[in-house]
Amino acid sequence: MRGRGFLRGPRPASVPALVGSACAAVGLIDVAAGVFPRFRHSRVHTFAEVLPGALGPFAAALSLSSGVLLLLLAHGIKRRKRRAWRAAVILLPAGAAAQFAYRHSLIGVLLSLVLCFLLVRHRSEFAALPDPRSRWRALANFVLLGAGSLVLGLVVVSVHPGRVVGDPSIADRLQHVLYGLFGLEGPVDYTGPTSWTVAYSLGALGLLTAVTTIYLAFRPEHPAALLSEDDEARLRVLLDKHGSRDSLGHFSLRRDKGVVFSPSGKAAVCYRVVSGVMLAGGDPIGDVEAWPGAIERFMDEARAHSWTPAVMGCSETGGEVWTRETGLAALEIGDEAVVDVADFSLTGRAMRNVRQMVKRIERNGYETRVRRVRDIGPTELERIRGAAADWRGTDTERGFSMALGRIGDPADGDCVVATAHLAESGAEDSPYGDLKAVLHFVPWGADGLSLELMRRDRSADPGMNELLIVASLQAAPRLAVARVSLNFAMFRSALARGERLGAGPVLRCWRGLLIFLSRWFQIESLYRFNAKFRPRWEPRFVVFRSGRDLPRIGLAALRAEGFVTLAPPRPFRSRRPRPCAHLPAQGGERGVRAA
């Protein structure tokens, strides 16, 4: 499967997708019928009667609010959400009754009831459980729906030019909309019943914004999955037996992940849900023969919530099992740099630059220490932890599939910390003393290490990361370590082949695009950095359901890794306890590599 990526053809549209699209179309038509007074006289008069019409002030407001609600529900219906189904089943009969009472439209009543019948007839299709609750969705709904209501309100106020008294300015119209959303009378006046139509429509938009925001803020709890103490203990048992299979195995112990176990308990898949995407990282944990059972549980959980399943950074073996058991597709996204300690040496022309850099830094007075976490005293460990957090190069924490999210936990005594020190005047005044750089490794089975993060003092000499990696590789035999996994290089093969003599124009263009993107995502720099240590390259894959899901999966992965942040301002964030206090975050570190 190496180097092979394939996309499956489009799947036939399901009933929820068709019904969801129908709800969205009906919602748009109904909004237009409620906003534009002449819409019912257009050529699409028949289609405008799908939901309550706009013949009277109350009917116009009902049409507008019904259309907006159906637009809001359409996505949930496509995702088979039970709550969206319940709301639509209640809304459509109410709309049909309003049509009969206000418009006497038998066609509108019939179409509304047919759509409702389809929902009831296929009710078994709509069984998806709610997504993890996040209070910031209420704030997002208030901002987005409030902005949409403001725009729609301006349209409602402005589509009656022949009935407006005077010539109100844009400011007057905006003030009228703002007042109307709160149910108050504004400065714009109309002749005839138009003023009531506008007032009812604006009031309905304001009420709709308030009701949906309140619902999202106080809806029943459905918390995000977090790793419990029992789950962590079971995962550690599996890692003790099978942890040498995958260098990313120890990262499954991040405590902001959920986990599903195989029926036998001999394998597990860890995941996080981001924007409706169920992201797993690396290979399943445990016995390979039990992987299918854990994968089946993972897919069952995804179907139960209507989440989009995806796997980031699995190995070639893992990708083969995932695609065979689920029918998903796989695409190679990069390579992992693995250094075999027995083969590493600073001698030779290929290592000249690294050798000279290390010697220069050592002549400047730097010394290194490579130790297991359990061998570091609590005072020094706290200083290392504080320095790593302070030296983080971004405002947001980064890392998911290839980051542990903590340093110095008592349960992680086998982790390795490499530090660089410089004894200089004034070091005693620094909160971190002579500490200048930190590398943190997690166990990879009994004889391996996997790089998790690299942090350094910005005032330190360049080359701290190279110095500490060399020191770690040289100390590996003393620690009984035979292999060390370094950073993950996205699209490494494309970068390597694109710079070779005779590379075709397509490959060169693709390489040029990757270099351009490296301004924001360290694609080329990580590849160059890893290549310095002459590693062997192990391919890593993304597993996905359909090519249509790739943009959504990509955005979810960027959010999980911390490159894209959609969180609300701090005062509005949920006060859920944060299990991961120190996540990796700066350029060149392990936690960045999965982006």
Side-chain angles (χ1 to χ4, degrees):
M1 196 176 74
R2 180 180 177 88
R4 180 183 67 193
F6 54 91
L7 303 179
R8 301 188 182 275
R11 296 167 296 167
S14 63
V15 171
L18 293 174
V19 174
S21 298
C23 285
V26 166
L28 286 173
I29 292 174
D30 202 46
V31 168
V35 171
F36 300 102
R38 297 184 180 276
F39 185 79
R40 61 182 181 272
H41 301 304
S42 68
R43 295 179 180 178
V44 291
H45 167 70
T46 302
F47 298 101
E49 294 179 342
V50 172
L51 285 180
L55 291 182
F58 179 74
L62 187 57
S63 175
L64 185 58
S65 57
S66 297
V68 173
L69 280 173
L70 281 176
L71 288 174
L72 294 176
L73 294 173
H75 181 65
I77 291 174
K78 288 182 178 181
R79 294 185 60 203
R80 307 170 186 265
K81 293 297 182 180
R82 190 69 176 179
R83 289 180 179 177
W85 176 87
R86 290 171 180 169
V89 167
I90 294 174
L91 177 64
L92 288 170
Q99 290 178 63
F100 182 77
Y102 290 98
R103 297 191 60 178
H104 308 292
S105 172
L106 295 179
I107 295 179
V109 171
L110 181 60
L111 292 177
S112 296
L113 293 180
V114 166
L115 191 55
C116 184
F117 170 78
L118 289 175
L119 287 171
V120 175
R121 173 66 178 80
H122 298 280
R123 58 187 177 275
S124 60
E125 298 271 358
F126 302 91
L129 300 174
D131 289 342
R133 179 181 177 183
S134 178
R135 291 190 182 277
W136 80 269
R137 294 180 185 272
L139 178 64
N141 178 84
F142 177 77
V143 173
L144 297 177
L145 190 54
S149 298
L150 189 63
V151 173
L152 275 177
L154 284 174
V155 175
V156 170
V157 169
S158 304
V159 293
H160 306 277
R163 298 182 179 274
V164 178
V165 177
D167 186 19
S169 64
I170 294 294
D172 291 334
R173 297 172 190 267
L174 182 60
Q175 183 180 359
H176 190 86
V177 172
L178 291 174
Y179 279 31
L181 292 176
F182 288 95
L184 303 175
E185 185 177 353
V188 181
D189 197 11
Y190 301 87
T191 59
T194 303
S195 59
W196 288 103
T197 301
V198 173
Y200 276 40
S201 297
L202 294 178
L205 289 173
L207 182 63
L208 192 62
T209 302
V211 169
T212 54
T213 301
I214 292 172
Y215 166 75
L216 290 173
F218 296 101
R219 61 180 172 171
E221 179 74 26
H222 194 80
L226 295 177
L227 201 65
S228 67
E229 293 183 2
D230 179 63
D231 291 337
E232 183 175 339
R234 295 176 66 185
L235 286 174
R236 288 185 182 276
V237 171
L238 294 178
L239 287 171
D240 289 341
K241 295 180 179 179
H242 308 282
S244 60
R245 187 174 298 279
D246 185 14
S247 66
L248 308 187
H250 200 85
F251 299 127
S252 64
L253 299 177
R254 279 183 65 103
R255 290 164 185 161
D256 58 353
K257 288 183 177 181
V259 61
V260 290
F261 289 90
S262 65
S264 65
K266 295 182 179 181
V269 176
C270 295
Y271 67 91
R272 185 195 293 173
V273 179
V274 182
S275 300
V277 177
M278 192 176 183
L279 279 174
D283 292 344
I285 308 300
D287 188 352
V288 174
E289 293 186 0
W291 282 8
I295 291 173
E296 183 179 0
R297 287 284 180 88
F298 177 88
M299 297 300 292
D300 288 344
E301 189 77 5
R303 279 190 291 269
H305 293 266
S306 192
W307 291 330
T308 299
V311 184
M312 298 298 300
C314 65
S315 69
E316 188 167 4
T317 300
E320 289 174 349
V321 177
W322 274 99
T323 55
R324 184 185 70 235
E325 297 297 326
T326 64
L328 300 178
L331 184 68
E332 184 176 338
I333 57 172
D335 295 88
E336 175 185 14
V338 178
V339 178
D340 294 313
V341 174
D343 298 332
F344 177 77
S345 174
L346 285 177
T347 60
R349 184 176 183 83
M351 298 298 295
R352 178 182 178 184
N353 291 337
V354 176
R355 182 173 64 250
Q356 291 178 343
M357 178 178 292
V358 170
K359 294 296 183 182
R360 175 179 57 80
I361 296 174
E362 289 176 341
R363 286 195 299 269
N364 289 342
Y366 286 89
E367 66 174 27
T368 59
R369 303 170 192 169
V370 182
R371 296 160 289 175
R372 297 280 184 184
V373 166
R374 60 172 172 264
D375 299 327
I376 304 176
T379 301
E380 184 180 3
L381 194 58
E382 183 61 31
R383 183 165 65 249
I384 292 172
R385 187 185 296 114
D390 190 38
W391 295 340
R392 189 177 67 241
T394 59
D395 293 333
T396 57
E397 305 280 10
R398 289 181 178 173
F400 162 64
S401 58
M402 301 169 189
L404 183 61
R406 59 184 183 268
I407 298 177
D409 190 284
D412 299 322
D414 287 339
C415 291
V416 171
V417 173
T419 54
H421 304 263
L422 177 63
E424 58 181 355
S425 60
E428 62 276 3
D429 298 329
S430 171
Y432 312 118
D434 61 354
L435 184 63
K436 293 299 179 182
V438 175
L439 261 63
H440 186 237
F441 297 85
V442 301
W444 175 12
D447 63 346
L449 292 177
S450 189
L451 178 61
E452 196 239 347
L453 66 79
M454 299 187 289
R455 303 278 171 82
R456 68 178 181 87
D457 189 340
R458 298 299 180 183
S459 65
D461 292 349
M464 289 292 102
N465 293 332
E466 289 88 342
L467 172 69
L468 287 180
I469 287 179
V470 170
S472 300
L473 291 171
Q474 291 175 339
R478 172 173 56 85
L479 299 173
V481 171
R483 52 187 178 166
V484 177
S485 171
L486 301 180
N487 297 293
F488 175 79
M490 289 285 292
F491 307 112
R492 181 206 66 86
S493 58
L495 290 170
R497 293 197 302 266
E499 63 183 356
R500 292 176 183 170
L501 181 66
V506 175
L507 191 56
R508 288 187 178 275
C509 288
W510 175 225
R511 178 177 178 272
L513 177 61
L514 293 175
I515 293 175
F516 174 76
L517 293 176
S518 296
R519 298 181 181 182
W520 298 277
F521 307 102
Q522 297 176 334
I523 300 174
E524 185 188 25
S525 60
L526 278 178
Y527 161 55
R528 301 294 182 191
F529 179 85
N530 294 334
K532 292 179 181 179
F533 304 98
R534 315 296 294 176
R536 57 182 169 89
W537 300 101
E538 297 291 339
R540 290 283 173 172
F541 298 82
V542 59
V543 177
F544 54 97
R545 184 171 55 191
S546 167
R548 296 191 300 270
D549 294 333
L550 281 176
R552 187 179 180 188
I553 293 171
L555 178 60
L558 290 175
R559 288 190 60 192
E561 297 292 345
F563 283 92
V564 176
T565 303
L566 302 179
R570 287 187 180 273
F572 298 96
R573 294 182 188 174
S574 173
R575 296 186 179 181
R576 182 181 300 146
R578 296 178 61 185
C580 299
H582 303 287
L583 298 177
Q586 79 179 30
E589 67 197 38
R590 178 85 169 199
V592 178
R593 65 181 197 165

